[in-house]
């Protein structure tokens, strides 16, 4: 972190025993019903919460889950998260039935030193994501009321620091504020990707929509040696090269932008030369490998092909710095997971050879775990997909800016 941002160590130095500390964590984990399918973000949030609890703080955790529409929705309750967090902490984590209502207030007043509680999904309150600063401030003040007179705020949800939201941004204006261990570590790692980067520097971008990645491509293409494109977004680039992409995902309104990028950075951008196509979007679809120039009508590309993996792996094997964000295919379906797995294994190989590698959160981090790849095979796995991208784009992140003092 920059020297102007107070850290968890600074808070601990002031003493937290008996004080209530509000912690904004990123616990937005994927669920199958009420079953957590990837607990990575919970595990990453444990150290800061445990440190505060062990030091005698009364800890109140705020977090969101999914995209409820500003009202309570049982499908997005944090109950499974509170249960899992408690298991990881080795202590009971009580969950209030509301965000800042009577139950949250009563539970907060009943906390004793070292206790940990959570309020319900902050997005159940429409003020959390309101564009109206006055509305957000009202919720922030209600959250601050839960902490009492000597409260403090710890921002530890890196995955949300790019959001100007009540529990991320407005609360920090009202309480002594500090960067948690996770946020501090994330910023330190991402700073390595923007200053004094060891070369060759390779970036691997995938995912479905090229529109989500235009900003980071514009920012990184002039700075990197290799920019590998995979996932659904690759088909808009292939279309920009004049190729037919069948019924593959295509953003026609981005074709001209992709043409411009290829004209300016054609020596850096690498596209797949073959793809795995399917006759439908399903795990049991008929699949075959074809050249990127010969995608049949009515077929959709759902993964990069083996030759593309081989070529990309050769380039990645030479890299000394690698940033990866976005899967190369629909890794959730076994038939279309080989591309993502192959690229990940190439990055692991580069890491073993001394490269500094960062997995940019989101679906990429989920893919590492889903495909059974070793998490310690990478230098760092980020917890914030969108936040990582915006940081690398050079955008100002409100949730970090507000911590500067």
């Amino acid at each position: 972190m920059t020297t102007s941002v107070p850290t968890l160590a600074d808070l601990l130095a002031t003493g937290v025993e008996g004080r209530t500390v509000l912690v904004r964590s990123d616990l937005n984990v994927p669920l199958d019903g009420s079953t957590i399918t990837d607990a990575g973000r919970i595990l990453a949030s444990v150290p800061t919460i445990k440190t505060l609890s062990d030091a005698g703080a009364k800890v109140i955790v705020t977090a969101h889950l999914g995209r409820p529409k500003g009202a309570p929705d049982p499908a997005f309750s944090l109950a499974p998260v509170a249960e899992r967090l408690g298991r990881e902490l080795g202590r009971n984590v009580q969950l209030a039935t509301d965000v800042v209502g009577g139950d949250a207030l009563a539970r907060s007043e009943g906390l004793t030193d070292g206790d940990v509680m959570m309020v319900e999904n902050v997005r159940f309150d429409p003020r959390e994501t309101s564009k109206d600063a006055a509305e957000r401030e009202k919720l922030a003040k209600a959250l601050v009321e839960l902490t009492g007179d000597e409260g403090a705020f710890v921002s530890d949800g890196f995955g949300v620091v790019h959001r100007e939201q009540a529990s991320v941004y407005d609360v920090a204006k009202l309480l002594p504020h500090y960067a948690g261990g996770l946020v501090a570590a994330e910023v330190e790692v991402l700073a390595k990707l923007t200053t004094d980067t060891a070369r060759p520097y390779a970036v691997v971008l995938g995912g479905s929509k090229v529109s989500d990645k235009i900003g980071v491509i514009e920012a990184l293409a002039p700075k990197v040696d290799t920019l590998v494109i995979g996932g659904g977004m690759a088909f808009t680039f292939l279309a920009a090269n004049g190729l037919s992409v069948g019924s593959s995902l295509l953003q026609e309104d981005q074709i001209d932008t992709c043409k411009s990028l290829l004209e300016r950075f054609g020596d850096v951008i690498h596209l797949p030369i073959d793809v795995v196509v399917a006759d439908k979007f399903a795990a049991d679809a008929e699949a075959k490998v074809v050249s990127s120039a010969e995608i049949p009508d009515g077929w959709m590309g759902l993964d990069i092909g083996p030759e593309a993996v081989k070529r990309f792996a050769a380039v990645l094997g030479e890299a000394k710095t690698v940033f990866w964000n976005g899967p190369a295919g629909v890794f959730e379906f076994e038939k279309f997971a080989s591309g993502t797995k192959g690229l990940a294994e190439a990055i692991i190989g580069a890491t073993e050879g001394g490269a500094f590698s960062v997995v940019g959160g989101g679906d990429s981090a989920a893919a590492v775990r889903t495909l059974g790849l070793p998490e310690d095979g990478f230098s760092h796995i980020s917890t914030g997909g969108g936040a990582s991208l915006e940081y690398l784009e050079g955008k100002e992140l409100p949730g970090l800016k507000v911590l500067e003092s």
Side-chain angles (χ1 to χ4, degrees):
M1 296 295 294
T2 62
T3 54
S4 60
V5 175
T7 64
L8 184 62
D10 295 321
L11 171 58
L12 294 171
T14 69
V16 295
E17 187 173 358
R19 295 172 65 188
T20 302
V21 180
L22 191 67
V23 179
R24 181 42 157 111
S25 298
D26 179 10
L27 303 174
N28 186 26
V29 293
L31 293 175
D32 181 3
S34 61
T35 302
I36 296 168
T37 57
D38 179 6
R41 284 176 170 163
I42 296 174
L43 301 180
S45 298
V46 165
T48 290
I49 297 169
K50 187 175 189 306
T51 296
L52 288 166
S53 174
D54 288 350
K58 304 168 186 177
V59 183
I60 300 176
V61 179
T62 65
H64 76 279
L65 182 65
R67 295 183 178 178
K69 297 177 180 177
D73 183 339
F76 296 108
S77 171
L78 284 170
V81 176
E83 189 278 329
R84 179 60 184 270
L85 179 61
R87 211 186 322 155
E88 297 299 332
L89 289 169
R91 64 180 308 127
N92 178 56
V93 173
Q94 52 181 310
L95 175 67
T97 58
D98 50 25
V99 181
V100 290
D103 191 49
L105 193 58
R107 288 176 187 269
S108 66
E109 289 174 349
L111 293 175
T112 58
D113 295 1
D115 281 353
V116 180
M117 68 167 279
M118 294 177 66
V119 299
E120 253 298 5
N121 190 332
V122 286
R123 291 190 182 172
F124 284 179
D125 192 312
R127 298 173 294 180
E128 166 71 0
T129 58
S130 175
K131 301 297 183 189
D132 184 336
E135 286 298 304
R136 292 199 314 272
E137 186 181 23
K138 287 177 185 175
L139 174 57
K141 285 180 175 178
L143 287 167
V144 169
E145 279 183 31
L146 301 179
T147 71
D149 295 336
E150 296 187 335
F153 172 64
V154 172
S155 177
D156 205 44
F158 183 74
V160 290
V161 293
H162 58 317
R163 305 295 190 195
E164 197 170 285
Q165 296 177 347
S167 67
V168 178
Y169 176 78
D170 300 270
V171 161
K173 291 181 169 184
L174 303 174
L175 285 172
H177 47 260
Y178 305 85
L182 186 154
V183 163
E186 292 275 14
V187 172
E188 184 179 338
V189 164
L190 291 172
K192 288 185 183 180
L193 298 178
T194 55
T195 57
D196 300 324
T197 309
R199 307 190 84 96
Y201 181 7
V203 170
V204 180
L205 295 177
S208 56
K209 293 183 177 180
V210 70
S211 56
D212 293 341
K213 305 285 168 70
I214 291 297
V216 78
I217 293 172
E218 290 275 10
L220 292 181
K223 303 174 184 176
V224 305
D225 301 290
T226 301
L227 182 55
V228 169
I229 304 287
M233 61 185 283
F235 298 101
T236 303
F237 276 97
L238 293 173
N241 267 342
L243 300 178
S244 170
V245 296
S247 58
S248 305
L249 185 64
L250 176 64
Q251 288 187 282
E252 292 189 16
D253 62 333
Q254 298 294 326
I255 289 177
D256 287 344
T257 302
C258 290
K259 278 182 182 175
S260 173
L261 289 167
L262 289 168
E263 287 167 4
R264 286 180 287 151
F265 307 113
D267 57 331
V268 170
I269 294 175
H270 295 253
L271 300 176
I273 64 165
D274 62 344
V275 295
V276 183
V277 295
D279 61 347
K280 60 182 178 180
F281 187 85
D284 62 350
E286 183 182 343
K288 59 184 179 181
V289 177
V290 299
S291 161
S292 296
E294 298 173 346
I295 298 174
D297 289 345
W299 289 67
M300 61 182 71
L302 296 184
D303 196 11
I304 61 174
E307 192 60 33
V309 172
K310 193 183 303 181
R311 293 193 178 200
F312 292 163
V315 175
L316 293 172
E318 301 294 318
K320 291 302 176 190
T321 303
V322 184
F323 174 71
W324 169 34
N325 181 278
V330 186
F331 70 90
E332 297 89 346
F333 298 158
E334 188 176 350
K335 283 185 179 179
F336 309 106
S338 296
T340 301
K341 190 170 186 179
L343 288 185
E345 288 173 340
I347 296 169
I348 291 170
T351 310
E352 290 172 348
F356 178 69
S357 61
V358 177
V359 180
D363 287 341
S364 313
V368 169
R369 300 176 187 112
T370 301
L371 299 175
L373 298 163
E375 293 184 46
D376 60 2
F378 306 89
S379 305
H380 179 73
I381 297 180
S382 177
T383 55
S388 298
L389 291 179
E390 291 196 17
Y391 186 96
L392 293 179
E393 284 178 45
K395 289 185 177 179
E396 184 175 278
L397 307 186
L400 293 182
K401 182 68 176 175
V402 76
L403 298 179
E404 296 178 5
S405 61

